[in-house]
Amino acid sequence: MTGLDQLLGGFAIALSWKGLLYCFIGCLWGTIVGVLPGLGPLAGMTLLLPLTFGLDPAIGIIMLTGIFYGAMYGGSTTSILVRIPGEAASVVTCIDGYEMARQGRAGPALMVAAVGSFIGGTFSIIGLMLIAPPLAKVMIAIGPSVEVVLMLLALSVISVVSAGSRLKTIMMVALGLLLATIGLDHMTGLPRLTFGSTTLAGGLSFTSLAIGLFGISEILINLEKTDTIKAITPKLRDLVPRRKDIRDSAPAIGRASIIGFIFGVIPGVSHVVSTFVSYAVEKRFSAHPEEFGHGAIAGVAGPETANNAVTGTAMIPLLALGIPSIPATALLLSALTIHGVQPGPLLLTDHPEVFWSLVASMYIGNVILLILNLPLVGIFVNLLRIPYAWLVPIILIISVIGVYSVAFSSADIWLMVISGAVGYVLRKFGYEMAALLLAFVLGGRIDENLRLALTMSGGSYATFADHASLIVLTSVLGLLLVVQGLAWVFGYRKSVADEAESA
Amino acid sequence: MSHLDDPLRAGDDGGGALLRTISARRGGIGVAALLAITGLVFTWQAALSDFGDFALPGPGFFPLILGILVVVLAVVIGVGDWLQVASGEAVALGHRDVLIVLAAMLAVPPLFEPLGAYVTLGLFGAALLVLIARCSLLVAGLSAAIGMAACWYFFQVLLALRLPIGPF
């Protein structure tokens, strides 16, 4: 079966009534959680996770992925119209997007953001389709030692690219790895770090931890803020951009597609960092850098394209290697595992229908989002009129039910509440939850593969420096060099953040 | 995040009598100390498992090393904060609404199975509507009842999720 046949097979699933319906539900819910501040893609996906339990794995993943990239689309709407980023990757869009809206040009800003998102998203799906299958073939041949090297490198990169204190990020990585070891040891079947509790023998639930650390802590932080907003709602006829807008934004969309594509495979907060890098690149390339911060359309087109270009490429390490690069893909990994599908090199041979239907659905989803976002922008903005104090109980109740329904255990609700409180305090003091969560997902596998590799090699650590490991190491270091080549851009991050703050 | 067009909250710029502002430096040291204690507890538990040896690690190998690493990192972060010149940066803790939500959430897990999901979550929702959204008891009660009916229909009927019903 050729790749084209498999892709057509994927389209057959994605274009079935069930595929289309759940893709639409995912995109719609994703847009809503993207619009509503405090609900990002991770919380949105977790909340609808129970809905997938009765579905075919391919359909369930289509819906969850729809939420992921739908949230990226939705985040731009509030950034432009209300100067409130619906989610972290839309922070930069606030700078020029809101300025454009204030100048009566909200329509073109929304249109360019939507079209850029579509192009960036489609570009990254093509990359996913072309890169993931051959990469998976290579990865099948590797042993546990290379997997350990790869996962440790992924965690190291998180520390390098983190926005906050590196030491605190390393601390979160260590804590995440430590929490992952709670429960029965896979090699010996003996309990570890369970404090004698049988409840802990099954390990900590990823869903509870993710909802607590991200969702609940975000709600608690948001409860402290009391600012009011005024939304600018454009009319449908105002959406058409001028010729100059197209001329200014087209190259920005092209460059940002590549930036998002590169950053998508880097673990950590790549979707957020890619937007800052894209903004800085556009400012540097612009003939009128002084316009940035005062309504430059390239300042909207670049970041919005970049954060959507990340969505496709972030799937490459997940689907080909089984390594999530951002928290949202970590949740997809968890969802796939719940459905009995193990992401990684064998996914394409064992469950090709999941991979190809996902690819096909992403093409369709991007079209759905383009159609959904522009005409219905007024409705989405009106969602912001619901008082936050009313949203809090709704979100929390759905979170409790979502978390409980994974294993039907009250212990998972306890874990969600405790991790929510801990996440709230840690975030207040500058610790990054993404690092903890990604380390938690990879921790069990690092431990297992490390010990397996040592057992296979008779206890020789030289196994981690064999030929295959060195190739992987060199490739990843090469990728890091590319990122470092963009390091000059990072110099702009602080100033961009300052501008965002003052905008 | 904003509270949007919520006039009831617009004037509430305080955050309650329990709101305390502490210096980021002092708070940072406190958090680092808590992390160090967490690391120590895990190290102690990991020490109870078989360490194996460096060539053939046992189940306690990875957790023990990580526990020690957490303690060391926490000490480094704490000492770093302690040596830091006071920047005047402050962190507010103990906001009224945050404390209410946390207290209400802590009541959910112990009641969830004995009292049933819908009663527990209905009470939880109503309490938050009264205390956070400042609705009247009647509005909060009605909203919670409608919300729970919707939850029951969506989760129990449409998704066939069997949530605990308690003694009812």
Side-chain angles (χ1 to χ4, degrees):
Chain A
M1 217 180 190
T2 64
L4 186 65
D5 291 332
Q6 289 176 317
L7 179 63
L8 289 174
F11 268 107
I13 297 173
L15 285 171
S16 65
W17 73 266
K18 245 184 166 178
L20 280 174
L21 174 71
Y22 284 96
C23 186
F24 177 78
I25 293 173
C27 291
L28 181 67
W29 178 245
T31 308
I32 291 170
V33 297
V35 167
L36 292 173
L39 272 180
L42 190 79
M45 287 159 79
T46 317
L47 296 181
L48 284 204
L49 185 62
L51 191 64
T52 69
F53 292 163
L55 296 174
D56 181 71
I59 302 291
I61 296 308
I62 283 175
M63 190 185 76
L64 292 177
T65 316
I67 300 172
F68 174 35
Y69 53 78
M72 298 293 172
Y73 268 75
S76 62
T77 306
T78 46
S79 292
I80 293 168
L81 300 180
V82 230
R83 211 184 62 183
I84 290 174
E87 48 95 41
S90 301
V91 170
V92 187
T93 312
C94 289
I95 306 170
D96 285 284
Y98 188 69
E99 272 307 310
M100 284 184 73
R102 275 182 47 181
Q103 293 161 17
R105 299 181 60 226
L110 284 167
M111 178 62 115
V112 161
V115 172
S117 299
F118 175 76
I119 294 171
T122 309
F123 183 77
S124 71
I125 303 163
I126 295 168
L128 165 70
M129 207 174 71
L130 296 177
I131 295 174
L135 186 61
K137 273 187 190 155
V138 173
M139 295 310 290
I140 286 174
I142 67 164
S145 58
V146 184
E147 225 177 313
V148 172
V149 171
L150 206 59
M151 286 188 278
L152 287 176
L153 269 171
L155 293 178
S156 316
V157 176
I158 293 172
S159 317
V160 173
V161 301
S162 74
S165 151
R166 277 189 194 156
L167 206 56
K168 287 180 177 174
T169 308
I170 296 170
M171 161 62 96
M172 288 298 99
V173 168
L175 195 62
L177 291 172
L178 188 60
L179 294 177
T181 60
I182 293 175
L184 292 181
D185 171 35
H186 291 291
M187 304 274 284
T188 60
L190 293 169
R192 294 187 294 188
L193 307 182
T194 58
F195 300 88
S197 153
T198 48
T199 312
L200 285 176
L204 300 181
S205 152
F206 169 80
T207 318
S208 305
L209 210 59
I211 280 277
L213 292 175
F214 276 89
I216 308 293
S217 68
E218 181 75 21
I219 287 168
L220 296 177
I221 286 172
N222 287 336
L223 274 168
E224 296 176 346
K225 300 174 186 168
T226 53
D227 26 319
T228 54
I229 60 147
K230 281 191 181 76
I232 301 164
T233 315
K235 292 187 178 71
L236 198 57
R237 65 168 180 273
D238 299 333
L239 290 171
V240 185
R242 299 175 306 197
R243 189 169 290 180
K244 184 181 180 299
D245 293 334
I246 297 169
R247 221 175 29 238
D248 288 348
S249 52
I253 289 172
R255 281 188 288 267
S257 295
I258 296 166
I259 290 169
F261 185 83
I262 295 170
F263 275 80
V265 290
I266 298 167
V269 285
S270 52
H271 59 309
V272 182
V273 177
S274 70
T275 59
F276 282 94
V277 171
S278 169
Y279 188 85
V281 166
E282 290 318 315
K283 198 170 176 179
R284 178 160 286 197
F285 273 87
S286 172
H288 302 284
E290 72 283 356
E291 287 180 3
F292 279 72
H294 304 285
I297 198 157
V300 177
E304 278 307 309
T305 306
N307 75 26
N308 279 272
V310 164
T311 55
T313 33
M315 295 287 179
I316 297 174
L318 172 73
L319 299 176
L321 314 177
I323 299 175
S325 57
I326 54 176
T329 54
L331 192 119
L332 277 177
L333 181 129
S334 169
L336 281 164
T337 314
I338 289 171
H339 281 280
V341 178
Q342 187 58 51
L346 290 173
L347 176 77
L348 275 141
T349 43
D350 292 350
H351 299 280
E353 77 287 354
V354 172
F355 176 82
W356 289 105
S357 58
L358 176 68
V359 169
S361 77
M362 288 176 83
Y363 282 112
I364 298 162
N366 269 290
V367 178
I368 290 175
L369 283 167
L370 195 62
I371 299 167
L372 198 69
N373 268 264
L374 294 175
L376 301 182
V377 68
I379 295 173
F380 290 125
V381 170
N382 278 329
L383 282 174
L384 289 166
R385 297 195 190 284
I386 303 171
Y388 191 64
W390 277 80
L391 283 176
V392 170
I394 298 170
I395 297 168
L396 292 178
I397 286 170
I398 299 173
S399 301
V400 169
I401 297 175
V403 159
Y404 181 82
S405 58
V406 174
F408 296 97
S409 164
S410 295
D412 288 344
I413 308 178
W414 273 117
L415 178 63
M416 180 189 78
V417 176
I418 294 166
S419 53
V422 171
Y424 165 72
V425 174
L426 288 176
R427 284 176 68 173
K428 296 269 288 184
F429 289 95
Y431 290 87
E432 270 197 35
M433 295 301 106
L436 192 157
L437 211 59
L438 290 175
F440 177 78
V441 171
L442 298 179
R445 282 167 61 201
I446 291 177
D447 176 33
E448 202 178 320
N449 283 300
L450 177 91
R451 288 161 62 199
L452 193 64
L454 285 172
T455 308
M456 285 165 68
S457 67
S460 166
Y461 278 83
T463 187
F464 298 108
D466 65 1
H467 185 61
S469 302
L470 286 175
I471 290 174
V472 170
L473 199 71
T474 317
S475 312
V476 178
L477 285 176
L479 183 69
L480 279 177
L481 276 177
V482 173
V483 176
Q484 287 298 318
L486 292 166
W488 56 274
V489 176
F490 278 104
Y492 277 78
R493 276 176 60 198
K494 196 178 176 304
S495 56
V496 171
D498 290 345
E499 279 183 63
E501 195 81 11
S502 58
Chain B
M1 180 62 233
S2 65
H3 295 289
L4 317 176
D5 301 330
D6 185 355
L8 286 167
R9 298 187 50 83
D12 179 13
D13 55 353
L18 292 172
L19 186 68
R20 293 283 177 277
T21 307
I22 55 167
S23 78
R25 178 176 163 269
R26 193 182 287 184
I29 295 169
V31 170
L34 288 174
L35 285 169
I37 293 167
T38 309
L40 277 175
V41 172
F42 277 110
T43 306
W44 158 65
Q45 270 292 305
L48 301 176
S49 301
D50 175 26
F51 182 80
D53 56 47
F54 278 96
L56 291 170
F61 178 83
F62 203 45
L64 187 73
I65 289 177
L66 287 168
I68 294 168
L69 183 64
V70 167
V71 176
V72 171
L73 285 169
V75 169
V76 172
I77 291 169
V79 170
D81 280 341
W82 185 53
L83 293 175
Q84 199 182 34
V85 182
S87 61
E89 205 183 322
V91 176
L93 288 172
H95 190 280
R96 174 188 174 276
D97 291 352
V98 172
L99 294 179
I100 289 169
V101 169
L102 277 176
M105 288 207 75
L106 282 171
V108 172
L111 298 176
F112 198 75
E113 278 170 350
L115 213 56
Y118 300 108
V119 174
T120 308
L121 294 177
L123 288 172
F124 170 75
L128 290 190
L129 286 176
V130 171
L131 297 169
I132 307 271
R134 290 161 192 177
C135 297
S136 68
L137 267 176
L138 182 70
V139 171
L142 274 175
S143 306
I146 293 167
M148 284 306 105
C151 274
W152 170 81
Y153 184 76
F154 183 74
F155 290 105
Q156 192 103 13
V157 178
L158 289 183
L159 299 184
L161 260 180
R162 284 169 184 257
L163 295 172
I165 52 166
F168 308 101

